[in-house]
Amino acid sequence: MGDCMIDEIVEAIRRAETQLSEDTVKALKDAYERETNDMAKTQLKAIIENFTVAHTESLPMCQDTGLQTFFIEVGYDFPMMKDLRGAIVEAVRRATKEVPLRPNAVHPFLHKNSGDNTGRYVPYLHWELKEGDDATIHVIPKGGGSENMSGLYMLPPGVGIKGIKKTVIEHIFRSGGKPCPPTIIGVGIGGGADLALTLAKKAAILRPIGSRHEESFVAELEDELYEMANKLGIGPMGMGGDTTVLDVHVDYAHRHPATLPLGIVTQCWANRRRKVHIDSSGKVEVF
Amino acid sequence: MEYHEKTPIVDARKYKVGDVIYITGNVILARDEAHKKLLEEGAPLELKGSVIYHCGPVVTKKNGEWKVIAAGPTTSIRMEIFEDEFIARFHPAIIVGKGGMGERTLKALKEHGAVYAAYTGGCGALAAERIKGVKEVHFLDELGIPEAVWVFNVEEFGPLVVAMDSHGNSIYDDVDEKAKKNLNNVLKEID
């Protein structure tokens, strides 16, 4: 049972690294069609050629194969709970050799690279409990260049939604070409500092491009931020153009009366994600 | 203009911002530690007219032969502290990376007739497809795979977009200036 689970998680990592998510493929191709700036068109064309080669040759689409990150939704009655962590860590070790992945786990004090993408708290596993007896593992290797363009702003609550909009747009402006645009921006509002960033990361990566929040006032904010970000003219790779972001996704939590945390997470165009579903009988499927 | 060039490059002054270059021949990889090393110890290979690539590749060895898995560009601005001296001393023709470089490099490009060209960030697989083999590698034991000085044999390696030329032009300065104006308009719109 454990072996089959490990095999499928390795496969999910391989697909995440070598096959760009379908919604992102479509968004990038649409951006190429729409683009009016020649320089930007050259960049988008190279990106499209690149993920096409990666897919057909089964090569990682970027040499930064990311920090191996997993968001896991697990049912209260899932019977293989105790095997899950070990299976994911082992899958990361194997994927490092088999895909292959760049070793991206460095000891911050000793500067030593572990060589297999594992180490203290890494791969990073984020757990959420839910009803049911199955588990879903979101496989989301995250690049370092775009992660560097994350931000946490503890705003005075008085600035309101207007202040949030300004901060997000200024953040995208300051990021410029550094996070490999066109990017997907995740915005988390409220909760505490950590929750705002977690909501932002989930919004950026787990939600399909083009999807909108179920509450209309959040959906409207997403539309507005998307339009405004693309008016900046930073463009693909910061060399100018119409497409700076592929989308902006927002989520929120209730906040403490004295705080207005705003978390921003930037995802590069290499929006790598796959899902592994495991049912209570141990049947494993990769999406 | 679109150029299809063979290395070594004789005249880089003809390239202007916005031109697209494809390289056939050799591309020499150098990032942070390699710049430092070459400046300290001198170059073990000819760099005049060369194409220098800011890249930390994924390379594996199979049956005694190197295989390049992915080799997209790394962020060039980290090399800003070395590049002007590097250009003055070794006279490369084209510096390739992502994200652009600063004023010191722009000045050195002008003085020595070289250009900075951007390779699309993240395009590791496309790059690997155009890399036909590893010609040689220097400082591998000391610096490790991502930092070593690799010489890749390439065919139609690109598109490399000239982003800073030898006439003082930088696309990054232009975009930044326009984006600042756009930002102010958007902020006004929010108020």
Side-chain angles (χ1 to χ4, degrees):
Chain A
M1 181 51 53
D3 281 354
C4 168
M5 204 148 77
I6 296 168
D7 288 346
E8 295 301 322
I9 300 167
V10 171
E11 180 56 24
I13 296 171
R14 181 197 313 280
R15 283 194 216 170
E17 298 278 2
T18 60
Q19 304 173 12
L20 187 58
S21 42
E22 273 170 32
D23 53 318
T24 316
V25 166
K26 184 176 181 308
L28 285 164
K29 286 184 173 168
D30 289 349
Y32 175 76
E33 293 302 327
R34 269 198 317 270
E35 185 61 59
T36 56
N37 178 310
D38 283 347
M39 185 83 83
K41 258 190 136 63
T42 310
Q43 298 304 306
L44 290 166
K45 188 164 171 257
I47 290 171
I48 292 166
E49 276 178 26
N50 178 67
F51 66 64
T52 309
V53 170
H55 193 154
T56 47
E57 309 275 322
S58 194
L59 292 171
M61 65 187 82
C62 178
Q63 74 287 342
D64 177 2
T65 49
L67 186 74
Q68 296 301 314
T69 307
F70 299 85
F71 276 49
I72 305 148
E73 299 161 41
V74 61
Y76 297 114
D77 302 314
F78 180 64
M80 282 151 286
M81 184 61 195
K82 68 175 182 0
D83 301 329
L84 216 44
R85 175 183 290 276
I88 293 173
V89 173
E90 187 49 33
V92 165
R93 286 202 181 102
R94 271 187 42 196
T96 302
K97 281 192 210 144
E98 291 172 23
V99 174
L101 308 176
R102 192 171 79 179
N104 277 346
V106 179
H107 193 294
F109 290 87
L110 308 175
H111 309 290
K112 196 174 156 39
N113 194 319
S114 72
D116 65 1
N117 279 306
T118 72
R120 186 173 159 90
Y121 294 118
V122 167
Y124 173 54
L125 274 49
H126 176 92
W127 298 90
E128 280 181 27
L129 293 165
K130 60 169 187 121
E131 292 293 333
D133 58 7
D134 62 335
T136 301
I137 306 167
H138 298 273
V139 179
I140 48 171
K142 179 70 167 66
S146 63
E147 190 71 358
N148 276 338
M149 296 299 115
S150 308
L152 173 69
Y153 302 88
M154 301 304 285
L155 300 173
V159 300
I161 297 298
K162 206 188 260 190
I164 287 172
K165 286 183 198 169
K166 284 188 178 177
T167 310
V168 172
I169 295 300
E170 283 168 346
H171 180 92
I172 297 169
F173 167 76
R174 276 197 306 276
S175 300
K178 291 193 281 289
C180 284
T183 54
I184 302 131
I185 305 293
V187 176
I189 301 167
D194 52 346
L195 181 54
L197 280 165
T198 301
L199 291 174
K201 185 163 269 185
K202 284 175 71 175
I205 305 176
L206 299 189
R207 274 179 49 193
I209 294 171
S211 68
R212 282 292 167 262
H213 196 275
E214 63 272 16
E215 290 175 80
S216 63
F217 54 89
V218 185
E220 278 162 29
L221 178 61
E222 291 175 338
D223 283 339
E224 210 180 330
L225 288 171
Y226 169 77
E227 298 287 334
M228 290 190 295
N230 281 331
K231 281 184 188 166
L232 291 175
I234 292 164
M237 297 302 142
M239 299 174 79
D242 306 326
T243 312
T244 302
V245 301
L246 295 174
D247 211 349
V248 180
H249 296 155
V250 180
D251 202 359
Y252 73 95
H254 280 64
R255 62 173 179 84
H256 182 282
T259 74
L260 178 55
L262 168 64
I264 303 175
V265 167
T266 309
Q267 170 72 317
C268 56
W269 66 256
N271 186 23
R272 289 160 282 190
R273 60 165 131 78
R274 279 293 181 273
K275 254 192 285 194
V276 180
H277 182 261
I278 311 169
D279 74 11
S280 60
S281 72
K283 188 168 158 258
V284 193
E285 265 182 295
V286 179
F287 298 93
Chain B
M1 279 289 281
E2 188 173 305
Y3 293 94
H4 297 262
E5 303 284 57
K6 288 210 167 78
T7 59
I9 310 288
V10 182
D11 172 27
R13 287 211 191 264
K14 66 181 177 198
Y15 307 131
K16 305 275 164 20
V17 158
D19 287 348
V20 177
I21 309 173
Y22 291 85
I23 299 290
T24 297
N26 294 332
V27 163
I28 300 164
L29 275 66
R31 53 185 282 174
D32 314 64
E33 293 296 326
H35 274 74
K36 211 171 154 191
K37 190 98 187 156
L38 293 170
L39 284 171
E40 278 170 8
E41 298 181 12
L45 70 171
E46 180 58 70
L47 297 177
K48 193 171 161 43
S50 66
V51 178
I52 298 291
Y53 185 23
H54 298 155
C55 168
V58 182
V59 183
T60 57
K61 205 167 203 175
K62 254 190 188 161
N63 308 325
E65 238 180 85
W66 291 110
K67 187 166 164 39
V68 181
I69 307 292
T74 193
T75 302
S76 295
I77 194 71
R78 292 198 313 273
M79 271 56 82
E80 179 69 7
I81 50 174
F82 307 114
E83 210 70 88
D84 52 352
E85 198 188 332
F86 191 94
I87 293 167
R89 194 149 146 210
F90 300 121
H91 301 283
I94 306 177
I95 310 286
V96 179
K98 73 163 175 159
M101 301 192 71
E103 269 175 44
R104 276 172 58 182
T105 301
L106 190 63
K107 196 163 162 266
L109 296 174
K110 200 173 173 181
E111 273 172 34
H112 302 282
V115 298
Y116 173 85
Y119 188 59
T120 310
C123 287
L126 181 63
E129 194 211 21
R130 308 282 168 92
I131 295 163
K132 299 303 166 189
V134 173
K135 192 175 169 232
E136 54 195 69
V137 56
H138 301 270
F139 308 119
L140 179 62
D141 291 342
E142 283 162 88
L143 302 181
I145 286 177
E147 295 276 0
V149 178
W150 295 90
V151 182
F152 289 163
N153 206 305
V154 300
E155 228 174 85
E156 288 289 303
F157 181 76
L160 309 176
V161 177
V162 177
M164 297 163 71
D165 64 22
S166 62
H167 308 280
N169 303 308
S170 163
I171 194 165
Y172 301 101
D173 292 348
D174 297 350
V175 171
D176 195 51
E177 203 177 301
K178 279 183 204 147
K180 249 179 221 151
K181 270 188 209 148
N182 295 336
L183 172 70
N184 287 330
N185 290 337
V186 171
L187 293 178
K188 267 184 223 149
E189 203 182 300
I190 295 171
D191 280 324

